Amino acid sequence: MTKPVKGSLQSLDPSAKLFVELKKQNPVWWSLLCNDKEVYIHIRKDNYINAYYYGGSIIKLEYKRGEFVGETHHKYYEELLPNSNPKKTYLRIDLNKFDKATLEHIKKKISVEYSERKMKKENSEMEDQEEYSEKYIQGVMIINNPNIIDSEFQFNLDTEADKLRIDLTELSNGTLTFNELKLITDSRLSISDKSSNNTKIKKTEPDIIGQMKKYNNFITNNHSEIKDYYKKLLEIRESLGLNIGDSKLINVNEKAKLTIVDTYQQEVLSDGKKCRIKNIEEILKKVPIEYEIRKLKS
């Protein structure tokens, strides 16, 4: 039998050692992650796992040479490993010493990296705008919605998709829907005259239109493979006790959804902000894109 290509939709295997051994051994550190209500756990292609805290990866879990292997970014763990190699981006976690204090330390470090609020003054349009971290909001949405079964879905093997990455995957009433998350202040929601190399090019539509078209093409070209992949993912989640929302996949939505979070906190918006929201809606209403503008709940 030919081994599936790494990174392909066929590479996920419910019988992979990591999933089998986690279920069989149920290590203390694994229970700690699963029982923390602020932590969400997602299954990945190529049979590894990421556990997240509000957008930041606490740990990447694999099973190698007969043992569990966990890694995290050096910024989250180097204080607990003083003799670590300063040139390494990711450090191996000592799972035998991974306890509540270790978890809280990593979570605290992540909260600094993906803080709830960040001040940005990138251009005049956003000047003095208090900006939420998209990663933070993504984490809030996942924690509050058990039907979100995956995040940061990535696929790099489709030449048309060109390193595709989709923020959220939701399974509701048997239908799986890819969901792209954007903040209302995101420049890709509006038409800009500036290109990446600072030469002026007149655009006819915002970048988000092309991005959503790319996602829809990917779904069309890989509809059955996506369905099979997520059926396997659900099987793994259920075997590990992670599946607490909808568990029956009947159909894959042919259109990806765009969720725009309105992060403006003022009770009375300026004319410029009102105009921005209006312009975004006018653009999106002219194209076949399913979208929602959702007010941020503070």
Side-chain angles (χ1 to χ4, degrees):
M1 183 177 178
T2 304
K3 188 176 180 180
V5 176
K6 187 176 181 180
S8 70
L9 293 171
Q10 291 76 33
S11 65
L12 185 63
D13 181 8
S15 65
K17 270 288 188 177
L18 174 62
F19 312 132
V20 172
E21 292 300 322
L22 277 176
K23 181 180 179 180
K24 182 164 62 176
Q25 297 184 36
N26 192 27
V28 173
W29 50 264
W30 174 247
S31 296
L32 183 65
L33 290 168
C34 292
N35 293 329
D36 191 313
K37 294 182 179 180
E38 292 182 313
V39 174
Y40 50 97
I41 297 170
H42 287 155
I43 311 300
R44 297 304 186 203
K45 296 189 297 297
D46 303 321
N47 307 309
Y48 67 92
I49 288 174
N50 279 117
Y52 293 92
Y53 171 73
Y54 291 110
S57 178
I58 296 170
I59 187 171
K60 177 184 178 182
L61 282 171
E62 298 177 278
Y63 195 81
K64 297 179 178 180
R65 294 181 288 278
E67 65 176 338
F68 297 106
V69 176
E71 290 186 339
T72 193
H73 199 283
H74 72 91
K75 289 185 289 186
Y76 310 152
Y77 195 62
E78 59 190 359
E79 289 180 14
L80 302 180
L81 203 66
N83 295 322
S84 60
N85 186 340
K87 295 182 180 180
K88 279 194 172 184
T89 303
Y90 295 95
L91 300 177
R92 182 163 175 171
I93 294 175
D94 186 346
L95 293 175
N96 293 321
K97 296 180 180 179
F98 190 91
D99 56 9
K100 183 68 175 177
T102 305
L103 177 57
E104 291 303 318
H105 175 88
I106 294 175
K107 286 165 63 176
K108 185 177 180 180
K109 290 294 182 178
I110 289 173
S111 70
V112 173
E113 185 72 14
Y114 296 114
S115 58
E116 178 177 350
R117 298 170 186 260
K118 292 181 179 179
M119 294 300 293
K120 288 187 178 181
K121 295 183 180 180
E122 295 175 347
N123 53 55
S124 59
E125 184 180 37
M126 306 304 165
E127 190 172 355
D128 298 325
Q129 168 64 28
E130 187 174 46
E131 176 64 33
Y132 283 75
S133 161
E134 185 177 304
K135 289 289 187 181
Y136 172 82
I137 293 176
Q138 183 186 81
V140 171
M141 292 176 67
I142 294 169
I143 290 170
N144 291 330
N145 184 354
N147 287 330
I148 296 177
I149 61 171
D150 197 12
S151 66
E152 302 292 344
F153 172 86
Q154 188 170 345
F155 192 76
N156 299 338
L157 301 179
D158 189 331
T159 54
E160 291 185 23
D162 186 27
K163 296 186 178 180
L164 171 147
R165 184 192 289 266
I166 305 176
D167 291 323
L168 303 168
T169 307
E170 182 175 356
L171 179 62
S172 182
N173 297 320
T175 297
L176 184 139
T177 302
F178 286 120
N179 195 327
E180 181 66 12
L181 175 65
K182 288 285 183 284
L183 306 189
I184 194 69
T185 52
D186 197 308
S187 61
R188 288 164 291 188
L189 295 173
S190 59
I191 298 174
S192 172
D193 289 337
K194 292 183 179 180
S195 68
S196 58
N197 60 3
N198 294 324
T199 59
K200 289 191 174 182
I201 300 175
K202 186 65 177 179
K203 291 186 178 181
T204 58
E205 62 181 25
D207 291 343
I208 190 61
I209 304 299
Q211 189 175 352
M212 297 305 291
K213 287 178 181 177
K214 182 173 71 173
Y215 294 165
N216 291 341
N217 288 337
F218 168 74
I219 297 170
T220 298
N221 295 336
N222 300 277
H223 193 275
S224 61
E225 290 86 354
I226 292 169
K227 187 174 181 180
D228 290 343
Y229 170 78
Y230 274 103
K231 280 187 174 181
K232 288 189 291 184
L233 185 143
L234 286 167
E235 180 185 342
I236 295 166
R237 288 183 64 85
E238 195 164 17
S239 74
L240 296 176
L242 300 175
N243 196 41
I244 56 175
D246 197 342
S247 61
K248 189 175 182 180
L249 198 168
I250 301 172
N251 181 48
V252 175
N253 195 336
E254 294 183 357
K255 301 293 183 183
K257 179 181 177 181
L258 172 63
T259 296
I260 301 169
V261 179
D262 180 355
T263 53
Y264 294 140
Q265 294 299 291
Q266 298 89 341
E267 291 185 11
V268 180
L269 296 181
S270 66
D271 290 341
K273 291 173 182 175
K274 289 179 182 177
C275 184
R276 177 175 177 78
I277 295 173
K278 181 181 177 182
N279 288 342
I280 289 171
E281 287 209 84
E282 286 180 351
I283 290 171
L284 293 176
K285 285 177 180 177
K286 294 177 182 178
V287 293
I289 290 178
E290 181 183 350
Y291 76 94
E292 170 192 10
I293 298 181
R294 177 188 301 182
K295 189 69 180 177
L296 176 66
K297 295 180 181 180
S298 57

